[in-house]
């Protein structure tokens, strides 16, 4: 970083060629569209709900913007706003989750764990059970939980690309409405 | 399923959902928000508030840590940067004011000292006129309103009538000065013992009942002091005898005695004026005389004193 920060008189700092300046960062944040802001808050909500932390999605968004504005998180020039800010939100969520990592040996079925752990309340099995009335959606959810992505999910569903995206959106909306994730 | 396995499963699910959010068109997201909250901007507004909080928090930190250089503030101004000019001015304001205070008040001790000096000076300026007046009055011997004149020599005296506290003896209208004063000291005997069934104590209780705020004392209006002064000054040679009816340690007791006298013996008092005078008896201390008068001659004073004695009281005639 110190090499990047080295400047030559009469030329702009090299670091500014790679990273957005603070003014540019603020300007970009202020110019976010309503759709982008909504997406960011939704992303934060998904991660805040499934993390075992005392923080909510607003805390996550606030922390992300604070770190970006004070340049603890450097914004690479050319990085789309939604992708960069969303990545910072996810990163912070991981950081916070790791600070309160649960005991690996704790069984979810234990009574004590159920009372104390958010994870116990948001159980993957429960989420699968939500889609009992929609076999395609349930199959997709199981595949998602097992780690399938993109093409693989599309092939597993047996749907067209448009149908698959529509089904995936319905799954997300259903989970959002139920507050399950 | 262990907690960790469950968490990993949820993480994978979340990743797909995030993918979906990112691939959903903005207008579709707004429609979803409108369905959930009734307002498509609900989450965007939340985000706006959070950004505002984050920016203001960061502004405070940045201003505190590193003030914006003046060259950056003023030199780089352009139409393109105009939206940020107000923010920079705010930053300058926030950095310059603390700097000025740092120069004026290099440390807290100096600030406290200067503040204390300012407060003390203000208090002195406010209190000085009152204190000077009081000292001047004390030095010149003029009573300052709470004093009564003592047994001074006869003749016109500038200090006596001006601010004396008289108890009026006109038609039962009295003027009590210290209605809430404590009872008199029993060690000092009275000159006049009035014939009252309740005795002196009873008179005092009556006095309390008819004090300055009582019905008998009425409006407690005394004759104008200026009028009294002019009257006493205009006839200095004739009015030089008074009748002392009581001698008290406390001024309030002397006044109370006079009020009782006015109630118990109004006929004997007639139109004579009753006053309280301070008497400094040197090593014996300060006393307060309850006086009736002045009388134009010793004979008049004697006659009045005799009538009081006939009613059961005691008194002495004095020459002013």
């Amino acid at each position: 970083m110190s090499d990047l920060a080295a400047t030559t008189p009469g030329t702009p700092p090299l670091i500014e060629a790679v990273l957005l300046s603070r003014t540019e960062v603020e300007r970009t944040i202020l110019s976010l569209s309503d759709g982008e802001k909504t997406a960011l808050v939704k992303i934060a909500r998904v991660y805040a709900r499934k993390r075992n932390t005392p923080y909510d999605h607003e805390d996550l968004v606030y922390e992300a913007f604070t770190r970006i504005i004070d340049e603890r998180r450097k914004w690479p020039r050319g990085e789309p706003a939604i992708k960069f800010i969303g990545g910072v939100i996810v990163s912070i969520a991981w950081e916070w989750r790791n600070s309160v990592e649960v005991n690996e040996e704790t069984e979810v079925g234990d009574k004590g764990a159920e009372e104390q752990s958010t994870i116990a309340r948001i159980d993957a099995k429960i989420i699968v059970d939500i889609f009992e009335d929609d076999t395609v959606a349930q199959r997709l959810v199981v595949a998602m939980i097992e780690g399938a992505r993109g093409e693989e999910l599309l092939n597993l569903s047996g749907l067209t690309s448009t149908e698959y995206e529509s089904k995936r959106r319905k799954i997300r909306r259903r989970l959002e409405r139920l507050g399950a994730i | 399923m262990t907690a960790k396995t469950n968490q990993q499963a949820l993480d994978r699910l979340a990743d797909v959902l995030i993918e979906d959010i990112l691939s959903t068109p903005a207008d579709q997201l707004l429609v979803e928000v409108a369905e959930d909250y009734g307002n498509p901007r609900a989450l965007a507004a939340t985000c706006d508030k959070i950004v505002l909080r984050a920016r203001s928090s960061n502004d405070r930190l940045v201003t505190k840590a590193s003030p914006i250089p003046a060259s950056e503030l003023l030199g780089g101004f352009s139409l393109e940067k105009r939206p940020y000019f107000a923010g920079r001015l705010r930053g300058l304001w926030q950095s310059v004011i603390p700097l000025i205070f740092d120069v004026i008040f290099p440390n807290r001790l100096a600030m406290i000292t200067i503040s204390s000096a300012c407060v003390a000076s203000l208090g002195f300026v406010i209190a000085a006129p009152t204190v000077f007046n009081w000292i001047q009055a004390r030095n010149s011997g003029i009573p300052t309103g709470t004093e009564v004149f003592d047994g001074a020599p006869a003749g016109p005296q500038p200090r006596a009538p001006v601010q004396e506290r008289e108890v009026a003896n006109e038609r039962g209208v009295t003027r009590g000065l210290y209605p809430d004063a404590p009872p008199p000291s029993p060690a000092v005997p009275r000159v006049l013992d009035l014939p009252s069934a309740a005795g002196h104590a009873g008179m005092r209780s009556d006095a309390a009942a008819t004090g300055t705020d009582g019905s008998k004392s009425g409006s407690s209006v005394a004759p104008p002091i200026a009028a009294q002064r002019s009257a006493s000054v205009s006839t200095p040679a004739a009015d030089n005898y008074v009748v002392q009816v009581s001698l008290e340690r406390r001024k309030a007791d002397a006044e109370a005695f006079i009020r009782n006298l006015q109630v118990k013996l109004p006929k004997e008092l007639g139109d004579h004026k009753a006053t309280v005078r301070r008497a400094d008896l040197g090593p014996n201390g300060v006393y307060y005389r309850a006086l009736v008068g002045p009388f134009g001659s010793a004979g008049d004073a004697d006659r009045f004193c005799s009538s009081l004695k006939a009613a059961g009281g005691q008194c002495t005639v004095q020459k002013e």
Side-chain angles (χ1 to χ4, degrees):
Chain A
M1 184 62 73
S2 59
D3 292 339
L4 287 176
T7 58
T8 305
T11 61
L14 186 56
I15 195 168
E16 288 190 4
V18 183
L19 302 174
L20 293 186
S21 67
R22 184 166 185 263
T23 306
E24 289 171 321
V25 166
E26 289 206 20
R27 196 179 301 171
T28 307
I29 289 173
L30 289 174
S31 63
L32 287 173
S33 69
D34 284 350
E36 288 172 319
K37 293 172 193 170
T38 302
L40 289 173
V41 175
K42 278 178 173 272
I43 290 169
R45 198 166 55 184
V46 168
Y47 272 89
R49 282 183 178 168
K50 77 182 187 63
R51 300 297 175 196
N52 185 25
T53 71
Y55 308 104
D56 65 8
H57 64 283
E58 291 191 14
D59 295 325
L60 265 179
V61 176
Y62 173 79
E63 184 66 19
F65 278 118
T66 302
R67 292 186 186 190
I68 292 168
I69 291 171
D70 67 15
E71 295 178 304
R72 274 181 286 167
R73 296 297 179 106
K74 307 292 183 187
W75 192 326
R77 192 173 291 279
E79 181 91 349
I82 191 74
K83 186 180 174 190
F84 174 68
I85 301 172
V88 173
I89 289 173
V90 172
S91 165
I92 294 169
W94 272 105
E95 182 185 317
W96 285 355
R97 205 275 294 276
N98 290 336
S99 66
V100 288
E101 189 66 71
V102 295
N103 185 353
E104 288 186 23
E105 303 305 319
T106 304
E107 285 290 333
V108 173
D110 292 349
K111 188 178 178 183
E114 280 187 10
E115 289 173 352
Q116 296 174 9
S117 174
T118 306
I119 296 169
R121 284 186 281 113
I122 306 174
D123 192 353
K125 187 175 182 307
I126 293 173
I127 290 176
V128 172
D129 291 344
I130 289 172
F131 297 95
E132 277 181 341
D133 58 343
D134 187 340
T135 51
V136 176
Q138 193 174 47
R139 194 164 61 236
L140 275 175
V141 167
V142 170
M144 289 172 186
I145 284 173
E146 288 175 349
R149 291 288 178 276
E151 285 290 319
E152 194 179 352
L153 282 173
L154 179 62
N155 295 334
L156 278 171
S157 66
L159 303 171
T160 64
S161 178
T162 309
E163 288 171 338
Y164 163 70
E165 287 186 3
S166 174
K167 184 65 74 177
R168 190 180 62 182
R169 192 151 301 148
K170 282 179 182 174
I171 292 170
R172 177 175 60 80
R173 291 291 294 144
R174 194 164 180 181
L175 291 174
E176 279 182 351
R177 288 195 184 110
L178 292 171
I181 199 163
Chain B
M1 183 183 287
T2 63
K4 186 164 185 176
T5 311
N6 186 64
Q7 182 62 60
Q8 287 169 344
L10 290 171
D11 286 345
R12 288 191 287 268
L13 177 61
D15 290 340
V16 179
L17 295 179
I18 299 302
E19 256 179 49
D20 184 64
I21 291 170
L22 291 173
S23 64
T24 303
D27 55 347
Q28 178 62 36
L29 288 176
L30 295 176
V31 170
E32 292 175 5
V33 175
E35 287 173 4
D36 293 344
Y37 299 94
N39 172 18
R41 285 209 77 253
L43 294 185
T46 302
C47 188
D48 286 339
K49 289 177 188 171
I50 295 169
V51 168
L52 189 65
R53 273 173 49 211
R55 289 187 71 214
S56 60
S57 168
N58 189 261
D59 280 351
R60 284 196 298 272
L61 291 173
V62 168
T63 303
K64 199 170 183 179
S66 57
I68 300 171
S71 58
E72 185 183 334
L73 266 169
L74 304 175
F77 177 73
S78 66
L79 287 177
E80 189 184 358
K81 294 182 178 179
R82 182 171 288 176
Y84 302 97
F85 191 67
R88 290 186 173 189
L89 275 181
R90 189 175 66 242
L92 178 65
W93 175 260
Q94 289 172 344
S95 60
V96 167
I97 296 301
L99 185 65
I100 290 172
F101 272 82
D102 283 346
V103 171
I104 296 175
F105 305 121
N107 58 53
R108 292 180 184 277
L109 181 63
M111 187 172 68
I112 291 169
T113 306
I114 293 172
S115 303
S116 303
C118 290
V119 172
S121 302
L122 186 63
F124 178 77
V125 168
I126 292 171
T130 307
V131 174
F132 287 152
N133 285 342
W134 183 78
I135 292 172
Q136 192 175 7
R138 294 283 294 183
N139 291 340
S140 63
I142 298 174
T144 57
T146 57
E147 297 177 5
V148 292
F149 61 88
D150 55 15
Q157 303 169 31
R159 54 188 290 200
V162 175
Q163 295 189 35
E164 66 185 37
R165 294 297 185 97
E166 289 192 345
V167 179
N169 187 26
E170 297 179 357
R171 289 180 289 280
V173 176
T174 61
R175 182 185 183 190
L177 299 181
Y178 299 94
D180 54 347
S185 167
V188 181
R190 296 181 186 285
V191 177
L192 176 62
D193 291 323
L194 294 175
S196 168
H200 186 62
M203 290 174 65
R204 288 199 57 78
S205 62
D206 290 342
T210 59
T212 53
D213 56 348
S215 57
K216 290 188 178 180
S217 60
S219 59
S220 298
V221 176
I225 291 175
Q228 297 169 20
R229 179 183 184 182
S230 62
S232 60
V233 170
S234 61
T235 57
D239 300 337
N240 52 2
Y241 288 92
V242 292
V243 174
Q244 179 176 308
V245 294
S246 178
L247 181 67
E248 302 288 346
R249 264 293 198 192
R250 302 160 59 88
K251 185 166 63 176
D253 296 338
E255 292 165 355
F257 191 88
I258 287 177
R259 283 196 295 273
N260 282 307
L261 193 65
Q262 291 163 349
V263 173
K264 298 293 181 185
L265 302 173
K267 207 177 286 182
E268 284 75 10
L269 275 176
D271 293 335
H272 298 301
K273 206 187 299 182
T275 59
V276 173
R277 288 183 189 174
R278 185 173 182 272
D280 189 350
L281 303 182
N284 293 325
V286 175
Y287 286 82
Y288 292 89
R289 304 177 194 275
L291 301 173
V292 177
F295 293 92
S297 64
D300 291 344
D302 278 339
R303 274 192 291 279
F304 174 76
C305 191
S306 299
S307 66
L308 277 182
K309 285 177 179 175
Q314 290 185 5
C315 55
T316 56
V317 176
Q318 296 178 354
K319 188 177 181 184
E320 282 191 308

